[in-house]
Amino acid sequence: MGLDDKIGNKGEGLGGKVKEGLGKASGNENMEAEGHKDQASSKLKDAGENVKDAFKRD
């Protein structure tokens, strides 16, 4: 399950980058902000997965 979550988080981060780029290209500040939010959410979830992995190793 951890690997699936990590892959999903990476996909969310990539989607956020795409959304940010589309927002910049089209001048849509809301879409750009959503892209930033998606990327931040992805990084936070990924950090949580890393913490869980650290405790599993001990």
Side-chain angles (χ1 to χ4, degrees), residues 8-24 31-47:
N9 294 342
K10 295 294 181 189
E12 182 180 0
L14 182 60
K17 283 189 179 274
V18 170
K19 195 181 285 188
E20 177 188 1
L22 289 172
K24 280 184 182 180
M31 184 183 287
E32 186 178 348
E34 281 184 34
H36 281 288
K37 182 187 72 130
D38 291 349
Q39 290 176 65
S41 173
S42 170
K43 288 179 184 177
L44 184 61
K45 289 176 186 176
D46 204 29

